[in-house]
């Protein structure tokens, strides 16, 4: 078959069809590997776990420009069961994980455009996959880093940061990190913050930051947890967000607001006084729940900075001045 005809076929084939064509014969496989047709994949989602029947499986979702596919790779007797929609195929004497990884490696290593989203759930049977995925990303990075706009991962600490370190910072705008269990991390360990300084959105679950919050002030949207926060740090955030034109929303959770060592009542009275001295009289106060709210005019805009405080969390948000209660700014 002439190259022109083959190339026309590939240009009109979705990623799943190209994966199938590679298995037709050795010549066609070699030609596809040499030509490297653009898969035009927009989103990839991978989840590793068990079926209801407690059978090991990998779920792979591919969304391309003109198609989407949900493929399952399951352990089946002495081989692998591949399920895509209503189509099922049994591969004898091959491991389900190796079948999945070979196809993923082929897709990622030849992905020419950046992904809109890349989501990984590695909370089950994940250690081997992490090593293989990192190897694929390293091999790809020798030629071109994998570009992703939105990256989400659920795994343990080591896997999260190791895989993240091989994602290109050039296109990444949003990061979501979910650890399998609560883990405390020193601020100095967040090396990725320097690499992804242009990323505007960051969400972290089960990650408790031990240290100050200065490395997060450039973000436009974020949800993080720190072990302890002070009035001075909250004031620093407030001043930074008033100057950040891109700022939208920042939710800060904490286990401790102030140092221990004094009674709860005494601590509450002292910190309540410090908050009022630092931020001024609050717009609203709930004495029962110890919650307070402030509004601050954002210079040269028609917006205000909303600041909510409690002894478990604080929230900053940009709101229109029209939504601010009278006499609150």
């Amino acid at each position: 078959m002439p190259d022109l005809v083959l190339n026309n076929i590939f240009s009109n084939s979705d990623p799943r069809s190209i994966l199938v064509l590679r298995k037709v014969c050795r010549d066609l496989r070699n030609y596809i590997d040499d030509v490297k047709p653009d898969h035009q994949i927009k989103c990839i989602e991978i989840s590793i776990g068990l079926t209801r029947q407690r059978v090991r499986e990998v779920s792979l979702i591919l969304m391309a420009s003109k198609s989407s596919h949900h493929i399952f790779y399951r352990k089946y007797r002495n081989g692998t069961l591949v399920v895509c929609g209503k189509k099922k195929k049994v591969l004898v004497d091959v491991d389900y994980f190796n079948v999945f990884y070979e196809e993923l490696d082929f897709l990622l290593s030849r992905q020419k455009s950046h992904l809109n989203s890349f989501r990984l759930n590695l909370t089950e049977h994940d250690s081997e996959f992490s090593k293989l995925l990192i190897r694929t990303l390293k091999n790809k990075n020798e030629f071109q880093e994998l570009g992703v706009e939105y990256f989400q991962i659920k795994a343990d600490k080591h896997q999260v940061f190791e895989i993240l370190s091989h994602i290109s910072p050039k296109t990444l705008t949003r990061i979501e990190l979910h650890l399998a269990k609560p883990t405390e991390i020193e601020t100095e360990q967040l090396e990725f913050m320097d690499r992804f300084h242009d990323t505007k959105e960051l969400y972290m679950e089960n990650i408790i930051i031990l240290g100050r919050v200065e490395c997060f002030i450039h973000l436009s949207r974020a949800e993080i947890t720190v072990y302890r926060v002070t009035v001075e740090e909250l004031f620093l955030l407030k001043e930074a967000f008033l100057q950040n034109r891109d700022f939208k929303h920042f939710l800060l959770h904490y286990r401790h607001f102030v140092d221990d060592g004094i009674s709860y009542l005494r601590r509450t009275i002292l910190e309540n006084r410090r908050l009022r001295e630092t931020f001024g009289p609050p717009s609203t106060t709930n004495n029962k729940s110890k919650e307070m709210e402030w509004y601050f005019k954002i210079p040269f805009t028609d917006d205000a900075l909303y600041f909510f405080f409690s002894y478990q969390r604080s929230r900053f948000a940009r709101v229109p001045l029209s939504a601010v209660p009278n006499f609150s700014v």
Side-chain angles (χ1 to χ4, degrees), residues 113-124:
S113 56
H114 69 263
L115 299 173
N116 292 346
S117 69
F118 187 31
R119 303 185 183 191
L120 302 171
N121 184 349
L122 312 181
T123 53
E124 292 276 354

Side-chain angles (χ1 to χ4, degrees), residues 285-296:
T285 303
N286 188 326
N287 292 324
K288 185 177 181 180
S289 59
K290 310 300 181 184
E291 297 175 349
M292 290 177 275
E293 295 177 325
W294 288 265
Y295 293 90
F296 305 96

Side-chain angles (χ1 to χ4, degrees), residues 21-184:
L21 287 171
R22 288 183 75 239
K23 296 180 174 63
V24 172
C25 66
R26 182 174 298 176
D27 288 342
L28 193 55
R29 179 191 184 98
N30 292 337
Y31 185 85
I32 291 174
D33 290 350
D34 290 338
V35 173
K36 298 181 175 62
D38 187 1
H39 306 306
Q40 297 184 345
I41 299 174
K42 298 301 181 183
C43 304
I44 295 178
E45 184 173 341
I46 301 167
S47 182
I48 301 176
L50 301 171
T51 67
R52 293 180 180 178
Q53 293 76 31
R54 310 298 294 176
V55 176
R56 289 287 184 185
E57 78 168 5
V58 179
S59 166
L60 173 63
I61 298 177
L62 300 174
M63 298 184 66
S65 300
K66 300 179 181 180
S67 64
S68 61
H69 307 276
H70 194 172
I71 309 169
F72 296 94
Y73 304 83
R74 294 173 185 157
K75 182 176 178 60
Y76 184 77
R77 296 177 182 173
N78 62 334
T80 297
L81 175 65
V82 181
V83 181
C84 184
K86 296 182 179 180
K87 297 181 179 179
K88 298 182 180 180
K89 185 174 183 179
V90 176
L91 305 176
V92 181
D93 294 332
V94 288
D95 181 71
Y96 77 103
F97 198 81
N98 291 335
V99 175
F100 154 73
Y101 175 72
E102 181 185 351
E103 296 194 345
L104 177 68
D105 182 64
F106 169 77
L107 294 173
L108 286 182
S109 61
R110 289 158 179 79
Q111 176 70 12
K112 298 179 181 179
S113 56
H114 69 263
L115 299 173
N116 292 346
S117 69
F118 187 31
R119 303 185 183 191
L120 302 171
N121 184 349
L122 312 181
T123 53
E124 292 276 354
H125 192 61
D126 51 2
S127 59
E128 184 63 25
F129 171 73
S130 297
K131 296 176 183 178
L132 294 173
L133 177 60
I134 290 168
R135 188 175 71 186
T136 295
L137 295 176
K138 283 182 178 179
N139 292 338
K140 180 175 177 56
N141 289 350
E142 292 180 3
F143 306 97
Q144 177 187 359
E145 285 187 309
L146 178 64
V148 180
E149 290 184 22
Y150 167 36
F151 178 70
Q152 180 192 79
I153 182 170
K154 298 180 180 180
D156 64 27
K157 172 184 171 181
H158 174 73
Q159 294 160 335
V160 164
F161 294 112
E162 181 73 11
I163 294 175
L164 181 61
S165 67
H166 293 91
I167 301 296
S168 172
K170 298 177 182 178
T171 58
L172 197 57
T173 59
R174 174 170 170 162
I175 301 174
E176 286 192 24
L177 309 178
H178 305 263
L179 297 194
K181 58 183 179 180
T183 304
E184 296 180 350

Side-chain angles (χ1 to χ4, degrees), residues 196-212:
F196 298 106
H197 55 83
D198 291 330
T199 300
K200 296 301 182 182
E201 299 186 33
L202 174 65
Y203 300 85
M204 295 195 292
E205 181 183 18
N206 281 337
I207 298 177
I208 304 165
I209 306 300
L210 303 177
R212 300 179 65 84

